[in-house]
Amino acid sequence: MVDKLREAGLEDIDFISASHVKMFAEMMHRQGDRLTSAAAEEMHESMRGKLLVEMPAKTCRAWLIENHRQAVSTGALSILSLVPSPYDRSCRTGYIHSIYTEPDYRHRGYARRILECIIDFCSSANLRRITLNASDQGSGLYRSLGFEPAREHMKYTICRHRPI
């Protein structure tokens, strides 16, 4: 099979973590900033640590697409405990992150396939709320799958000028 979608395992953590770092490096580059190699390494190790704990606990699930047995695209879902809302009394919500496709494999529908898989997983796991942070490059894809901007979302960032 030329391209295969599958759930990621512990053996895929380095690819997922490296992809997560590449995603941020590309976003920062588009904004005229850059991710230092030291910050990239720290983020890679932090992501690896998160995945090593949360993937076996099933609080983080990830999927990837292999092209000729080489991982080329990935995406992940963290299952978070938040507060119940009037529209969803459960405290569980899905947070989609780390959506990344290697540059030579873009525009083949890989990210869409991964996102559709994540949405199907959330539906079968009875997760009624799914959130994500969209880059300008990804927002069109997310909208095409039914994601909408959320008016009530605000954030406060301690470190406003430089990545930690």
Side-chain angles (χ1 to χ4, degrees):
M1 179 178 281
V2 173
D3 59 351
K4 176 184 172 185
L5 172 66
R6 67 171 176 83
E7 187 163 1
L10 294 177
E11 69 278 6
D12 302 305
I13 285 176
D14 281 329
F15 175 75
I16 299 164
S17 180
S19 295
H20 181 78
V21 172
K22 289 177 187 178
M23 175 191 71
F24 275 101
E26 286 182 20
M27 287 189 302
M28 290 175 71
H29 179 74
R30 285 186 194 102
Q31 296 169 354
D33 204 353
R34 77 181 212 32
L35 185 64
T36 67
S37 58
E41 183 58 33
E42 285 180 34
M43 189 169 28
H44 178 71
E45 289 306 314
S46 183
M47 186 65 168
R48 282 186 83 256
K50 170 189 173 57
L51 296 173
L52 283 168
V53 170
E54 295 181 8
M55 285 177 68
K58 302 291 188 194
T59 56
C60 184
R61 311 286 288 259
W63 289 265
L64 55 82
I65 292 182
E66 295 176 326
N67 183 284
H68 296 288
R69 299 184 187 198
Q70 175 185 349
V72 297
S73 186
T74 190
L77 172 78
S78 287
I79 301 169
L80 309 174
S81 177
L82 297 179
V83 297
S85 78
Y87 310 102
D88 179 13
R89 311 286 186 286
S90 96
C91 295
R92 295 174 350 123
T93 188
Y95 177 71
I96 295 174
H97 58 90
S98 308
I99 302 294
Y100 184 80
T101 302
E102 292 290 335
D104 290 345
Y105 295 90
R106 292 181 183 166
H107 308 292
R108 298 182 189 194
Y110 290 169
R112 175 177 294 279
R113 284 179 57 196
I114 289 171
L115 286 162
E116 288 170 343
C117 182
I118 290 172
I119 292 167
D120 288 346
F121 172 83
C122 289
S123 178
S124 69
N126 208 23
L127 290 168
R128 297 185 53 177
R129 292 183 277 178
I130 308 170
T131 62
L132 56 79
N133 291 322
S135 67
D136 291 341
Q137 292 70 35
S139 63
L141 171 61
Y142 301 129
R143 285 177 189 269
S144 77
L145 290 168
F147 286 86
E148 301 170 344
R151 291 175 298 200
E152 68 278 358
H153 183 81
M154 294 179 75
K155 71 176 184 176
Y156 182 86
T157 304
I158 299 293
C159 180
R160 294 180 187 273
H161 301 290
R162 285 280 180 217
I164 298 173

